[in-house]
Amino acid sequence: MAVRFDEKKNLFTLQTLDSTYQMKVDDHGVLLHTYYGAPADETDFSYLIGPEDRGFSGQPGDEKKDRTYSMDYYPLEYPVQGNGDFRVKALKAGFEGEVPALDLRFVSYELEKGKYSLPGLPALFEAEAGEVETLKITLKDRLEEIYVTLFYGVFEKKNVITRAASIENRSGKNVTLKRALSLGLDFMEGDMDLIHFYGKHAGERQFERRNLPHGITEISSSRGTSSHHHNPFVILCDKDTTEDFGNAYGVSFIYSGGFKIQMEKDQVDGIRLVCGLDDEEFLWKLAPGETFVTPEAALSYSEKGLTALSDQFQKAYHANLIRSPWKDKKRPTLVNNWEATYFGFDAEKLLKIAGEAADLGLDMLVLDDGWFGKRNDDRTSLGDWFVNEEKLKGGLKKLVDNVNSLGMKFGIWFEPEMISPESELYKKHPDWAVHIEGREPGQVRNQLVLDLSRREVIEYVYESVASILRQANIEYVKWDMNRPFTDIGSSELDADRQGEIMHRHTLAVYELQGRLLKEFPYLLLENCSSGGARFDPGMLYFSPQIWCSDDTDAIERLAIQESTALMYPLSVIGAHVSDCPNHTVGRVTPFKTRGIIAMAGTFGYELDVTKIPEEDRDMIASQVETYKKYCPLIQSGDYYRIASYQNNHYFDCYEIVSKDKKEAIFVFVQVIAQPNMHSI
Ligand code: DGJ
């Protein structure tokens, strides 16, 4: 049994192979968080709290005598606003028009075999029968009929515990959720380092490690995507934790919209982490009888340092989050025409590229942006998903058939969630764009976001994409999303539901991708968001690969891909060999090096194979052959970071080793040579 409830001690103990997680219902019915860490027995760890009368840390209403009992420093499982806890909270909820206030107490629990599910949301699933146990704990406000259920999925052998929460309004009045996060995690004390990724467009997921200071530290996105700027993933570890030694806790949020991870080091040097939906633009109305379900977050712990923690996330996400039939298959090696032609292509040019690529052993041509409406630059036509026959004479089917006859598969790009103000669609439906009535919305890349809180817009988007896929033998879709949200408003939603737009948008994206995969089950879907602004676990539930970054410079990619692999499997990292000098940073890198670095991901080319120097072209066939040979190892092997160019500024080194340790790929990249050094 991975989950046990000791009725005498009121103790929940969740065991994975290499970790123990413990909660206790105390005498007041409050659910305390008492332990998460190295494997332990069922000792009641609440003795570690050490109650004291702490100045100005008050007592809940039903505790008048014991001045040592305070929500302000006790380790709590799901902290809420309104009970005298002044640290960061997971939930802020209350009746409409009132200041949020709850005081949650234990009601009941349920234990089930298998994994709970979260309707409409991505979540880890049971891949092998019997590998997961579910625990549900129900809490209720001390006074009102407002219930919170906490969900736990214990993946014993994977060393992963998933969490989510639901909030149910059984009262007769409207409840407003001002914040509804997926988890709280309290450490009674700690001097910890925080590891996270910061970044920017064409510079995502840069590794940063710093000591967690007193006060609140936040890693978040309120852009409507998980963002280029932060990733919904943090590690808290001991100061001396290395790749191979030391305690490390990973928290990953399985969601593709805005998120918030806050960590607070408090007055007694305790650390609290809360994680869930971004709440900057969030206000959710919970009418009587309604339930709100949060997205899922995954926790993992290792006492053997960062490599083991990475491995736990990589393996669990590969096996238990990616559903695509492609997940263990060799992915088609592709040539994408974006950096080859940008908007300047026609059918003839594409066929020339496809023909050359076929001769070199590549499997697929991907037609990127610019094939529809009047889109000859990025100023027009998003939303007008009909083929531009001036560019593609004879239509899409003819092009796809011709590409197929060369022995190549065909893939295509969409940006379904967007609308260009200069488009047929906008002329007909200006109110379909997210906007605030009476205010001219701001543009990013000359485009607006479609209002996916409207059912008719969801249906339009679905049909736009599906009808193209029904026209021809299209085997791959790159689903792009190229702007953050601003001017958040919907002309359809009621005034008291405008704060729901962002979350409803993400739910609609999940619905659309889910439906698409139901109609086209073998479609290879690659998510993308101006590079890697949606490189998150939520997307992996739908697409087995994600475009990693618009920075295609191989040397820059060393850092980006290496940080990405801190939790994501290599099998999901979209990586292509691009042109030289590189279009983003202008660097010149040998073709061989570019090829090797792109192999730590899903391999392809992002250049015009008909135009590159002959000596480079001559290397393609053998690069493709090498990738195909090692693809299974890259997809399933254990990944070791050995030296990081980001740290040492001279060289990079990593290794991928097969399970049976009989095969390994060892990569060393000398970025800058140093004179008269020891050989490495
Ligand atoms: C952003 C993507 O990241 C690129 O790869 C490319 O598809 C462009 N969009 C096209 O507009």
Side-chain angles (χ1 to χ4, degrees), residues 256 317 321-324 527 535-546 568-569 572:
S256 312
Y317 279 1
L321 187 59
I322 302 173
R323 298 175 301 167
S324 168
N527 269 292
F535 207 110
D536 57 64
M539 291 280 93
L540 290 184
Y541 194 63
F542 300 91
S543 66
Q545 54 195 59
I546 306 175
Y568 300 97
V572 311

Side-chain angles (χ1 to χ4, degrees), residues 352-638:
K352 245 172 116 184
I353 294 175
E356 184 71 42
D359 290 347
L360 295 168
L362 287 159
D363 302 312
M364 181 160 72
L365 174 77
V366 174
L367 172 54
D368 212 282
D369 195 354
W371 56 267
F372 52 93
K374 296 186 183 129
R375 191 152 164 102
N376 293 318
D377 54 41
D378 65 13
R379 281 177 299 188
T380 73
S381 303
L382 293 170
D384 297 345
W385 298 107
F386 44 84
V387 177
N388 179 340
E389 296 219 16
E390 271 173 36
K391 280 179 168 175
L392 305 183
K393 292 213 165 48
L396 192 61
K397 176 151 172 46
K398 185 170 168 208
L399 174 67
V400 177
D401 287 349
N402 283 336
V403 169
N404 285 169
S405 69
L406 295 167
M408 297 275 283
K409 295 175 189 296
F410 184 88
I412 200 164
W413 177 97
F414 286 96
E415 195 178 355
E417 300 155 59
M418 296 292 149
I419 180 166
S420 303
E422 209 178 305
S423 65
E424 296 302 315
L425 186 65
Y426 193 74
K427 270 186 217 144
K428 264 198 250 157
H429 297 292
D431 57 326
W432 279 15
V434 170
H435 69 288
I436 299 169
E437 275 317 304
R439 213 184 258 245
E440 194 180 342
Q443 295 182 21
V444 181
R445 209 193 188 205
N446 310 304
Q447 62 197 61
L448 302 173
V449 184
L450 276 170
D451 179 2
L452 293 185
S453 68
R454 297 170 73 131
R455 182 46 51 189
E456 64 203 310
V457 181
I458 295 181
E459 294 311 319
Y460 175 84
V461 169
Y462 184 75
E463 273 314 305
S464 302
V465 179
S467 65
I468 294 286
L469 299 190
R470 288 180 206 124
Q471 274 175 38
N473 183 28
I474 298 172
E475 298 178 70
Y476 159 109
V477 162
K478 179 175 173 186
W479 181 302
D480 204 348
M481 194 292 194
N482 285 306
R483 68 156 282 175
F485 287 61
T486 59
D487 306 276
I488 299 152
S490 162
S491 45
E492 179 89 348
L493 271 188
D494 291 343
D496 56 359
R497 291 204 179 268
Q498 296 283 319
E500 300 176 9
I501 292 171
M502 305 274 269
H503 183 47
R504 281 175 185 261
H505 184 97
T506 306
L507 292 177
V509 171
Y510 292 149
E511 178 193 323
L512 284 163
Q513 295 200 356
R515 274 167 73 179
L516 209 61
L517 292 166
K518 214 166 177 191
E519 184 173 345
F520 306 97
Y522 296 104
L523 185 72
L524 175 54
L525 186 62
E526 174 156 338
N527 269 292
C528 168
S529 181
S530 28
R534 266 189 189 157
F535 207 110
D536 57 64
M539 291 280 93
L540 290 184
Y541 194 63
F542 300 91
S543 66
Q545 54 195 59
I546 306 175
W547 184 228
C548 186
S549 174
D550 276 349
D551 187 345
T552 55
D553 176 70
I555 302 304
E556 295 265 306
R557 276 297 190 106
L558 283 173
I560 297 173
Q561 291 174 195
E562 213 161 83
S563 308
T564 304
L566 208 64
M567 75 162 309
Y568 300 97
L570 298 187
S571 68
V572 311
I573 299 177
H576 297 165
V577 177
S578 65
D579 218 350
C580 249
N582 177 264
H583 295 191
T584 322
V585 297
R587 192 192 327 248
V588 174
T589 308
F591 200 79
K592 186 178 170 199
T593 309
R594 283 180 267 158
I596 288 170
I597 295 170
M599 284 186 204
T602 65
F603 189 71
Y605 293 83
E606 189 98 7
L607 41 70
D608 187 343
V609 279
T610 66
K611 284 196 180 148
I612 53 172
E614 218 169 296
E615 62 270 27
D616 290 353
R617 191 163 43 238
D618 287 349
M619 277 186 246
I620 291 185
S622 77
Q623 285 182 342
V624 170
E625 207 180 301
T626 308
Y627 178 71
K628 287 186 176 170
K629 180 170 171 202
Y630 292 111
C631 184
L633 174 58
I634 293 164
Q635 286 183 345
S636 66
D638 297 341

Side-chain angles (χ1 to χ4, degrees), residues 5-23:
F5 182 61
D6 181 329
E7 289 187 2
K8 281 196 197 121
K9 298 184 199 155
N10 277 335
L11 214 58
F12 292 100
T13 309
L14 282 46
Q15 299 285 12
T16 74
L17 270 187
D18 301 310
S19 71
T20 298
Y21 186 106
Q22 194 192 76
M23 295 164 275

Side-chain angles (χ1 to χ4, degrees), residues 194 196 210 217-220 230-231 234 259-261 263:
L194 162 67
H196 74 107
R210 60 187 145 113
T217 303
E218 182 175 308
I219 305 297
S220 61
H230 289 286
N231 197 261
V234 296
F259 71 93
K260 183 161 277 189
I261 301 177
M263 288 137 287

Side-chain angles (χ1 to χ4, degrees), residues 72-333:
D72 196 24
Y73 78 94
Y74 263 52
L76 303 174
E77 184 61 17
Y78 192 68
V80 298
Q81 182 164 5
N83 62 359
D85 181 350
F86 294 98
R87 295 164 290 179
V88 287
K89 334 274 186 298
L91 181 64
K92 296 181 183 178
F95 290 129
E96 201 171 39
E98 294 178 9
V99 177
L102 288 178
D103 185 356
L104 296 178
R105 304 298 167 102
F106 178 77
V107 176
S108 61
Y109 76 95
E110 281 171 64
L111 253 176
E112 290 163 12
K113 293 267 171 236
K115 173 77 200 306
Y116 62 83
S117 62
L118 304 174
L121 284 162
L124 271 81
F125 54 83
E126 184 170 61
E128 278 170 42
E131 71 166 334
V132 195
E133 281 177 38
T134 287
L135 168 67
K136 293 181 191 167
I137 301 178
T138 299
L139 311 171
K140 178 193 168 298
D141 181 58
R142 195 153 58 86
L143 186 67
E144 305 292 351
E145 288 296 299
I146 300 172
Y147 289 77
V148 172
T149 300
L150 306 179
F151 298 81
Y152 299 81
V154 184
F155 291 73
E156 189 178 0
K157 291 197 184 127
K158 300 270 176 32
N159 286 316
V160 166
I161 297 173
T162 60
R163 289 189 52 185
S166 73
I167 302 105
E168 189 186 351
N169 179 8
R170 290 192 210 162
S171 80
K173 294 194 270 180
N174 287 331
V175 166
T176 304
L177 304 181
K178 207 170 155 206
R179 164 181 283 203
L181 306 190
S182 304
L183 64 79
L185 184 62
D186 279 4
F187 299 90
M188 287 187 223
E189 57 168 358
D191 185 6
M192 284 181 166
D193 276 3
L194 162 67
I195 295 175
H196 74 107
F197 309 132
Y198 69 96
K200 56 190 166 193
H201 173 237
E204 299 87 337
R205 290 177 296 290
Q206 305 293 316
F207 181 96
E208 185 169 74
R209 178 171 181 164
R210 60 187 145 113
N211 190 246
L212 195 73
H214 284 92
I216 299 170
T217 303
E218 182 175 308
I219 305 297
S220 61
S221 159
S222 54
R223 294 167 186 264
T225 59
S226 46
S227 88
H228 303 99
H229 306 78
H230 289 286
N231 197 261
F233 175 54
V234 296
I235 295 173
L236 289 176
C237 62
D238 289 347
K239 277 192 344 194
D240 50 4
T241 292
T242 63
E243 283 292 337
D244 305 311
F245 302 101
N247 291 308
Y249 298 84
V251 181
S252 159
F253 187 43
I254 303 167
Y255 189 66
S256 312
F259 71 93
K260 183 161 277 189
I261 301 177
Q262 287 180 322
M263 288 137 287
E264 179 170 359
K265 188 161 173 177
D266 65 21
Q267 57 177 341
V268 293
D269 292 342
I271 292 174
R272 167 171 294 171
L273 180 149
V274 293
C275 164
L277 287 172
D278 167 47
D279 60 352
E280 299 295 331
E281 266 88 12
F282 177 86
L283 263 192
W284 196 276
K285 175 176 163 182
L286 209 56
E290 285 184 347
T291 300
F292 180 85
V293 181
T294 73
E296 180 167 277
L299 301 172
S300 192
Y301 162 82
S302 163
E303 60 179 332
K304 295 196 192 103
L306 301 176
T307 302
L309 188 74
S310 289
D311 191 60
Q312 286 167 190
F313 275 110
Q314 288 176 346
K315 298 287 159 47
Y317 279 1
H318 184 83
N320 302 92
L321 187 59
I322 302 173
R323 298 175 301 167
S324 168
W326 280 98
K327 86 163 148 187
D328 292 314
K329 291 211 176 100
K330 283 189 188 170
R331 310 290 163 78
T333 51

